[in-house]
Amino acid sequence: MGRNREAGFPHKGWKWVDVRDSRDNDGLSYEEYPCCEFCDQTQIRYVHILEHPNFPDIVEVGCDCAEQLTEDYTNPQSRERNLRNRASRRAKFPDRKAWKVSPKGNLWINYEDHHIIVIQTSKGIYLRIDDRLGKIKYGTIREAQLKAFDVIQQINQKAAYKSR
């Protein structure tokens, strides 16, 4: 049963906190996506996290319910669209034609003002971004490429936040 029928559950006045992609860190398949905590009707890949000043718990809901609870019919869609676009760019990143092979046999790319190298050694696959060599060993080249995309996105987010 969704919380929309729960006694004392506010139906208005919620504030948007964040939105996340269930697939990003959890790697969930469609069948494993969480259900909307408000309506309990749909499985949601893009989870909107809301808080309310008069309710102790945060709730995780789908876009339509986020719009209803926050009474904002623009921003939840826009935020979800941005996340969808990011997911699409991330999925395509390892297949970009801009990847080249160095004389040492390592893949490299210049992406959004960063130099990325996927280093293959006898000890494993590692990632170097700009002048920083990572310590994490990856199972596949694709896994390292996807992590590089995530790191660049985090760097750019921090830079955008600082420039505000």
Side-chain angles (χ1 to χ4, degrees), residues 32-56:
E32 300 171 304
Y33 289 168
C35 287
C36 174
E37 289 182 23
F38 183 64
C39 70
D40 202 33
Q41 294 297 311
T42 57
Q43 292 175 298
I44 48 176
R45 174 173 172 181
Y46 300 98
V47 179
H48 295 259
I49 302 163
L50 308 178
E51 65 183 3
H52 194 281
N54 301 324
F55 196 77

PDB file of all heavy atoms in Angstrom, residues 32-56:
ATOM      1  N   GLU A  32      13.920  -5.101 -10.672  1.00  0.00           N
ATOM      2  CA  GLU A  32      14.388  -4.798  -9.322  1.00  0.00           C
ATOM      3  C   GLU A  32      14.237  -3.326  -8.938  1.00  0.00           C
ATOM      4  O   GLU A  32      14.569  -2.952  -7.821  1.00  0.00           O
ATOM      5  CB  GLU A  32      15.867  -5.178  -9.194  1.00  0.00           C
ATOM      6  CG  GLU A  32      16.155  -6.640  -9.446  1.00  0.00           C
ATOM      7  CD  GLU A  32      17.650  -6.916  -9.526  1.00  0.00           C
ATOM      8  OE1 GLU A  32      18.325  -6.283 -10.354  1.00  0.00           O
ATOM      9  OE2 GLU A  32      18.117  -7.767  -8.758  1.00  0.00           O
ATOM     10  N   TYR A  33      13.750  -2.491  -9.853  1.00  0.00           N
ATOM     11  CA  TYR A  33      13.598  -1.075  -9.531  1.00  0.00           C
ATOM     12  C   TYR A  33      12.658  -0.920  -8.352  1.00  0.00           C
ATOM     13  O   TYR A  33      11.685  -1.656  -8.215  1.00  0.00           O
ATOM     14  CB  TYR A  33      13.021  -0.295 -10.711  1.00  0.00           C
ATOM     15  CG  TYR A  33      13.955  -0.113 -11.890  1.00  0.00           C
ATOM     16  CD1 TYR A  33      13.467   0.348 -13.096  1.00  0.00           C
ATOM     17  CD2 TYR A  33      15.312  -0.387 -11.812  1.00  0.00           C
ATOM     18  CE1 TYR A  33      14.297   0.520 -14.195  1.00  0.00           C
ATOM     19  CE2 TYR A  33      16.142  -0.219 -12.888  1.00  0.00           C
ATOM     20  CZ  TYR A  33      15.638   0.236 -14.077  1.00  0.00           C
ATOM     21  OH  TYR A  33      16.460   0.411 -15.151  1.00  0.00           O
ATOM     22  N   PRO A  34      12.905   0.086  -7.522  1.00  0.00           N
ATOM     23  CA  PRO A  34      12.001   0.309  -6.382  1.00  0.00           C
ATOM     24  C   PRO A  34      10.643   0.831  -6.857  1.00  0.00           C
ATOM     25  O   PRO A  34      10.528   1.377  -7.946  1.00  0.00           O
ATOM     26  CB  PRO A  34      12.735   1.371  -5.562  1.00  0.00           C
ATOM     27  CG  PRO A  34      13.608   2.074  -6.542  1.00  0.00           C
ATOM     28  CD  PRO A  34      13.997   1.057  -7.566  1.00  0.00           C
ATOM     29  N   CYS A  35       9.652   0.645  -6.018  1.00  0.00           N
ATOM     30  CA  CYS A  35       8.323   1.195  -6.297  1.00  0.00           C
ATOM     31  C   CYS A  35       8.226   2.579  -5.672  1.00  0.00           C
ATOM     32  O   CYS A  35       8.886   2.867  -4.679  1.00  0.00           O
ATOM     33  CB  CYS A  35       7.231   0.299  -5.720  1.00  0.00           C
ATOM     34  SG  CYS A  35       7.032  -1.223  -6.644  1.00  0.00           S
ATOM     35  N   CYS A  36       7.381   3.391  -6.255  1.00  0.00           N
ATOM     36  CA  CYS A  36       7.123   4.723  -5.717  1.00  0.00           C
ATOM     37  C   CYS A  36       6.510   4.568  -4.330  1.00  0.00           C
ATOM     38  O   CYS A  36       5.539   3.836  -4.148  1.00  0.00           O
ATOM     39  CB  CYS A  36       6.168   5.468  -6.648  1.00  0.00           C
ATOM     40  SG  CYS A  36       5.633   7.063  -6.015  1.00  0.00           S
ATOM     41  N   GLU A  37       7.083   5.256  -3.337  1.00  0.00           N
ATOM     42  CA  GLU A  37       6.585   5.144  -1.973  1.00  0.00           C
ATOM     43  C   GLU A  37       5.252   5.848  -1.776  1.00  0.00           C
ATOM     44  O   GLU A  37       4.557   5.573  -0.800  1.00  0.00           O
ATOM     45  CB  GLU A  37       7.610   5.712  -0.983  1.00  0.00           C
ATOM     46  CG  GLU A  37       8.844   4.864  -0.837  1.00  0.00           C
ATOM     47  CD  GLU A  37       9.815   5.415   0.185  1.00  0.00           C
ATOM     48  OE1 GLU A  37       9.399   6.177   1.091  1.00  0.00           O
ATOM     49  OE2 GLU A  37      11.008   5.095   0.081  1.00  0.00           O
ATOM     50  N   PHE A  38       4.893   6.753  -2.670  1.00  0.00           N
ATOM     51  CA  PHE A  38       3.631   7.473  -2.513  1.00  0.00           C
ATOM     52  C   PHE A  38       2.470   6.682  -3.101  1.00  0.00           C
ATOM     53  O   PHE A  38       1.509   6.363  -2.411  1.00  0.00           O
ATOM     54  CB  PHE A  38       3.721   8.860  -3.142  1.00  0.00           C
ATOM     55  CG  PHE A  38       2.483   9.690  -2.952  1.00  0.00           C
ATOM     56  CD1 PHE A  38       2.073  10.080  -1.688  1.00  0.00           C
ATOM     57  CD2 PHE A  38       1.725  10.082  -4.036  1.00  0.00           C
ATOM     58  CE1 PHE A  38       0.922  10.844  -1.501  1.00  0.00           C
ATOM     59  CE2 PHE A  38       0.582  10.852  -3.868  1.00  0.00           C
ATOM     60  CZ  PHE A  38       0.185  11.230  -2.594  1.00  0.00           C
ATOM     61  N   CYS A  39       2.562   6.346  -4.378  1.00  0.00           N
ATOM     62  CA  CYS A  39       1.425   5.683  -5.035  1.00  0.00           C
ATOM     63  C   CYS A  39       1.568   4.163  -5.085  1.00  0.00           C
ATOM     64  O   CYS A  39       0.580   3.462  -5.275  1.00  0.00           O
ATOM     65  CB  CYS A  39       1.226   6.235  -6.442  1.00  0.00           C
ATOM     66  SG  CYS A  39       2.529   5.768  -7.609  1.00  0.00           S
ATOM     67  N   ASP A  40       2.797   3.661  -4.947  1.00  0.00           N
ATOM     68  CA  ASP A  40       3.067   2.221  -4.947  1.00  0.00           C
ATOM     69  C   ASP A  40       2.627   1.546  -6.249  1.00  0.00           C
ATOM     70  O   ASP A  40       2.407   0.354  -6.283  1.00  0.00           O
ATOM     71  CB  ASP A  40       2.402   1.551  -3.740  1.00  0.00           C
ATOM     72  CG  ASP A  40       3.059   0.218  -3.391  1.00  0.00           C
ATOM     73  OD1 ASP A  40       4.279   0.090  -3.587  1.00  0.00           O
ATOM     74  OD2 ASP A  40       2.340  -0.688  -2.929  1.00  0.00           O
ATOM     75  N   GLN A  41       2.496   2.322  -7.321  1.00  0.00           N
ATOM     76  CA  GLN A  41       1.968   1.768  -8.554  1.00  0.00           C
ATOM     77  C   GLN A  41       3.025   1.376  -9.578  1.00  0.00           C
ATOM     78  O   GLN A  41       2.807   0.466 -10.344  1.00  0.00           O
ATOM     79  CB  GLN A  41       1.007   2.773  -9.212  1.00  0.00           C
ATOM     80  CG  GLN A  41      -0.235   3.012  -8.397  1.00  0.00           C
ATOM     81  CD  GLN A  41      -1.079   1.756  -8.241  1.00  0.00           C
ATOM     82  OE1 GLN A  41      -1.360   1.077  -9.206  1.00  0.00           O
ATOM     83  NE2 GLN A  41      -1.455   1.444  -7.021  1.00  0.00           N
ATOM     84  N   THR A  42       4.116   2.094  -9.641  1.00  0.00           N
ATOM     85  CA  THR A  42       5.074   1.842 -10.713  1.00  0.00           C
ATOM     86  C   THR A  42       6.466   1.621 -10.166  1.00  0.00           C
ATOM     87  O   THR A  42       6.830   2.144  -9.117  1.00  0.00           O
ATOM     88  CB  THR A  42       5.127   3.040 -11.682  1.00  0.00           C
ATOM     89  OG1 THR A  42       5.460   4.207 -10.938  1.00  0.00           O
ATOM     90  CG2 THR A  42       3.806   3.246 -12.391  1.00  0.00           C
ATOM     91  N   GLN A  43       7.226   0.860 -10.912  1.00  0.00           N
ATOM     92  CA  GLN A  43       8.635   0.725 -10.588  1.00  0.00           C
ATOM     93  C   GLN A  43       9.331   1.937 -11.183  1.00  0.00           C
ATOM     94  O   GLN A  43       9.027   2.347 -12.301  1.00  0.00           O
ATOM     95  CB  GLN A  43       9.181  -0.568 -11.174  1.00  0.00           C
ATOM     96  CG  GLN A  43       8.595  -1.784 -10.478  1.00  0.00           C
ATOM     97  CD  GLN A  43       9.030  -3.065 -11.133  1.00  0.00           C
ATOM     98  OE1 GLN A  43       8.732  -3.292 -12.294  1.00  0.00           O
ATOM     99  NE2 GLN A  43       9.728  -3.885 -10.383  1.00  0.00           N
ATOM    100  N   ILE A  44      10.252   2.514 -10.432  1.00  0.00           N
ATOM    101  CA  ILE A  44      10.872   3.757 -10.863  1.00  0.00           C
ATOM    102  C   ILE A  44      12.382   3.618 -10.986  1.00  0.00           C
ATOM    103  O   ILE A  44      13.052   3.204 -10.045  1.00  0.00           O
ATOM    104  CB  ILE A  44      10.506   4.931  -9.936  1.00  0.00           C
ATOM    105  CG1 ILE A  44      10.699   4.565  -8.461  1.00  0.00           C
ATOM    106  CG2 ILE A  44       9.082   5.388 -10.174  1.00  0.00           C
ATOM    107  CD1 ILE A  44      10.459   5.700  -7.483  1.00  0.00           C
ATOM    108  N   ARG A  45      12.888   3.948 -12.149  1.00  0.00           N
ATOM    109  CA  ARG A  45      14.334   3.972 -12.348  1.00  0.00           C
ATOM    110  C   ARG A  45      14.908   5.259 -11.773  1.00  0.00           C
ATOM    111  O   ARG A  45      15.923   5.259 -11.102  1.00  0.00           O
ATOM    112  CB  ARG A  45      14.673   3.870 -13.832  1.00  0.00           C
ATOM    113  CG  ARG A  45      16.154   4.027 -14.076  1.00  0.00           C
ATOM    114  CD  ARG A  45      16.554   3.763 -15.474  1.00  0.00           C
ATOM    115  NE  ARG A  45      17.955   4.108 -15.658  1.00  0.00           N
ATOM    116  CZ  ARG A  45      18.598   3.994 -16.797  1.00  0.00           C
ATOM    117  NH1 ARG A  45      17.970   3.533 -17.858  1.00  0.00           N
ATOM    118  NH2 ARG A  45      19.862   4.332 -16.886  1.00  0.00           N
ATOM    119  N   TYR A  46      14.236   6.391 -12.070  1.00  0.00           N
ATOM    120  CA  TYR A  46      14.700   7.687 -11.589  1.00  0.00           C
ATOM    121  C   TYR A  46      13.919   8.047 -10.338  1.00  0.00           C
ATOM    122  O   TYR A  46      12.728   8.312 -10.391  1.00  0.00           O
ATOM    123  CB  TYR A  46      14.550   8.744 -12.690  1.00  0.00           C
ATOM    124  CG  TYR A  46      15.367   8.363 -13.904  1.00  0.00           C
ATOM    125  CD1 TYR A  46      14.776   7.728 -14.991  1.00  0.00           C
ATOM    126  CD2 TYR A  46      16.739   8.578 -13.925  1.00  0.00           C
ATOM    127  CE1 TYR A  46      15.530   7.343 -16.078  1.00  0.00           C
ATOM    128  CE2 TYR A  46      17.500   8.191 -15.007  1.00  0.00           C
ATOM    129  CZ  TYR A  46      16.888   7.573 -16.084  1.00  0.00           C
ATOM    130  OH  TYR A  46      17.647   7.180 -17.166  1.00  0.00           O
ATOM    131  N   VAL A  47      14.604   8.012  -9.216  1.00  0.00           N
ATOM    132  CA  VAL A  47      13.982   8.150  -7.904  1.00  0.00           C
ATOM    133  C   VAL A  47      14.161   9.581  -7.404  1.00  0.00           C
ATOM    134  O   VAL A  47      15.287  10.047  -7.217  1.00  0.00           O
ATOM    135  CB  VAL A  47      14.620   7.161  -6.905  1.00  0.00           C
ATOM    136  CG1 VAL A  47      14.012   7.314  -5.525  1.00  0.00           C
ATOM    137  CG2 VAL A  47      14.497   5.727  -7.409  1.00  0.00           C
ATOM    138  N   HIS A  48      13.054  10.276  -7.204  1.00  0.00           N
ATOM    139  CA  HIS A  48      13.067  11.635  -6.661  1.00  0.00           C
ATOM    140  C   HIS A  48      12.962  11.540  -5.147  1.00  0.00           C
ATOM    141  O   HIS A  48      12.071  10.863  -4.619  1.00  0.00           O
ATOM    142  CB  HIS A  48      11.906  12.451  -7.222  1.00  0.00           C
ATOM    143  CG  HIS A  48      12.017  12.678  -8.697  1.00  0.00           C
ATOM    144  ND1 HIS A  48      12.467  13.858  -9.216  1.00  0.00           N
ATOM    145  CD2 HIS A  48      11.767  11.862  -9.755  1.00  0.00           C
ATOM    146  CE1 HIS A  48      12.479  13.776 -10.540  1.00  0.00           C
ATOM    147  NE2 HIS A  48      12.044  12.569 -10.887  1.00  0.00           N
ATOM    148  N   ILE A  49      13.869  12.203  -4.455  1.00  0.00           N
ATOM    149  CA  ILE A  49      13.921  12.150  -2.999  1.00  0.00           C
ATOM    150  C   ILE A  49      13.363  13.465  -2.470  1.00  0.00           C
ATOM    151  O   ILE A  49      13.825  14.547  -2.838  1.00  0.00           O
ATOM    152  CB  ILE A  49      15.366  11.911  -2.523  1.00  0.00           C
ATOM    153  CG1 ILE A  49      15.888  10.597  -3.131  1.00  0.00           C
ATOM    154  CG2 ILE A  49      15.439  11.898  -1.004  1.00  0.00           C
ATOM    155  CD1 ILE A  49      17.369  10.429  -3.082  1.00  0.00           C
ATOM    156  N   LEU A  50      12.343  13.348  -1.611  1.00  0.00           N
ATOM    157  CA  LEU A  50      11.644  14.518  -1.085  1.00  0.00           C
ATOM    158  C   LEU A  50      11.670  14.522   0.438  1.00  0.00           C
ATOM    159  O   LEU A  50      11.739  13.459   1.067  1.00  0.00           O
ATOM    160  CB  LEU A  50      10.178  14.509  -1.544  1.00  0.00           C
ATOM    161  CG  LEU A  50       9.889  14.338  -3.029  1.00  0.00           C
ATOM    162  CD1 LEU A  50       8.387  14.319  -3.270  1.00  0.00           C
ATOM    163  CD2 LEU A  50      10.555  15.423  -3.847  1.00  0.00           C
ATOM    164  N   GLU A  51      11.576  15.726   1.008  1.00  0.00           N
ATOM    165  CA  GLU A  51      11.480  15.872   2.459  1.00  0.00           C
ATOM    166  C   GLU A  51      10.359  16.855   2.772  1.00  0.00           C
ATOM    167  O   GLU A  51       9.989  17.688   1.936  1.00  0.00           O
ATOM    168  CB  GLU A  51      12.797  16.328   3.071  1.00  0.00           C
ATOM    169  CG  GLU A  51      13.230  17.714   2.645  1.00  0.00           C
ATOM    170  CD  GLU A  51      14.585  18.127   3.202  1.00  0.00           C
ATOM    171  OE1 GLU A  51      15.241  17.329   3.892  1.00  0.00           O
ATOM    172  OE2 GLU A  51      14.979  19.269   2.929  1.00  0.00           O
ATOM    173  N   HIS A  52       9.842  16.736   3.993  1.00  0.00           N
ATOM    174  CA  HIS A  52       8.743  17.611   4.412  1.00  0.00           C
ATOM    175  C   HIS A  52       9.038  18.098   5.823  1.00  0.00           C
ATOM    176  O   HIS A  52       9.468  17.317   6.682  1.00  0.00           O
ATOM    177  CB  HIS A  52       7.424  16.834   4.394  1.00  0.00           C
ATOM    178  CG  HIS A  52       6.220  17.697   4.488  1.00  0.00           C
ATOM    179  ND1 HIS A  52       5.776  18.235   5.678  1.00  0.00           N
ATOM    180  CD2 HIS A  52       5.365  18.121   3.528  1.00  0.00           C
ATOM    181  CE1 HIS A  52       4.697  18.950   5.450  1.00  0.00           C
ATOM    182  NE2 HIS A  52       4.412  18.904   4.158  1.00  0.00           N
ATOM    183  N   PRO A  53       8.811  19.393   6.102  1.00  0.00           N
ATOM    184  CA  PRO A  53       9.129  19.920   7.434  1.00  0.00           C
ATOM    185  C   PRO A  53       8.297  19.304   8.561  1.00  0.00           C
ATOM    186  O   PRO A  53       8.728  19.303   9.713  1.00  0.00           O
ATOM    187  CB  PRO A  53       8.848  21.425   7.313  1.00  0.00           C
ATOM    188  CG  PRO A  53       7.968  21.581   6.118  1.00  0.00           C
ATOM    189  CD  PRO A  53       8.269  20.423   5.209  1.00  0.00           C
ATOM    190  N   ASN A  54       7.137  18.752   8.226  1.00  0.00           N
ATOM    191  CA  ASN A  54       6.265  18.178   9.262  1.00  0.00           C
ATOM    192  C   ASN A  54       6.146  16.668   9.169  1.00  0.00           C
ATOM    193  O   ASN A  54       5.186  16.091   9.676  1.00  0.00           O
ATOM    194  CB  ASN A  54       4.863  18.807   9.174  1.00  0.00           C
ATOM    195  CG  ASN A  54       4.907  20.308   9.347  1.00  0.00           C
ATOM    196  OD1 ASN A  54       5.700  20.824  10.119  1.00  0.00           O
ATOM    197  ND2 ASN A  54       4.076  21.002   8.606  1.00  0.00           N
ATOM    198  N   PHE A  55       7.122  16.045   8.515  1.00  0.00           N
ATOM    199  CA  PHE A  55       7.101  14.587   8.386  1.00  0.00           C
ATOM    200  C   PHE A  55       8.510  14.076   8.627  1.00  0.00           C
ATOM    201  O   PHE A  55       9.466  14.610   8.059  1.00  0.00           O
ATOM    202  CB  PHE A  55       6.594  14.179   6.991  1.00  0.00           C
ATOM    203  CG  PHE A  55       6.190  12.744   6.907  1.00  0.00           C
ATOM    204  CD1 PHE A  55       4.989  12.314   7.439  1.00  0.00           C
ATOM    205  CD2 PHE A  55       7.016  11.820   6.293  1.00  0.00           C
ATOM    206  CE1 PHE A  55       4.608  10.982   7.367  1.00  0.00           C
ATOM    207  CE2 PHE A  55       6.649  10.482   6.213  1.00  0.00           C
ATOM    208  CZ  PHE A  55       5.438  10.070   6.748  1.00  0.00           C
ATOM    209  N   PRO A  56       8.673  13.064   9.463  1.00  0.00           N
ATOM    210  CA  PRO A  56      10.024  12.667   9.885  1.00  0.00           C
ATOM    211  C   PRO A  56      10.860  11.961   8.813  1.00  0.00           C
ATOM    212  O   PRO A  56      12.087  12.009   8.876  1.00  0.00           O
ATOM    213  CB  PRO A  56       9.752  11.715  11.053  1.00  0.00           C
ATOM    214  CG  PRO A  56       8.381  11.168  10.800  1.00  0.00           C
ATOM    215  CD  PRO A  56       7.632  12.276  10.129  1.00  0.00           C
TER     216      PRO A  56
END
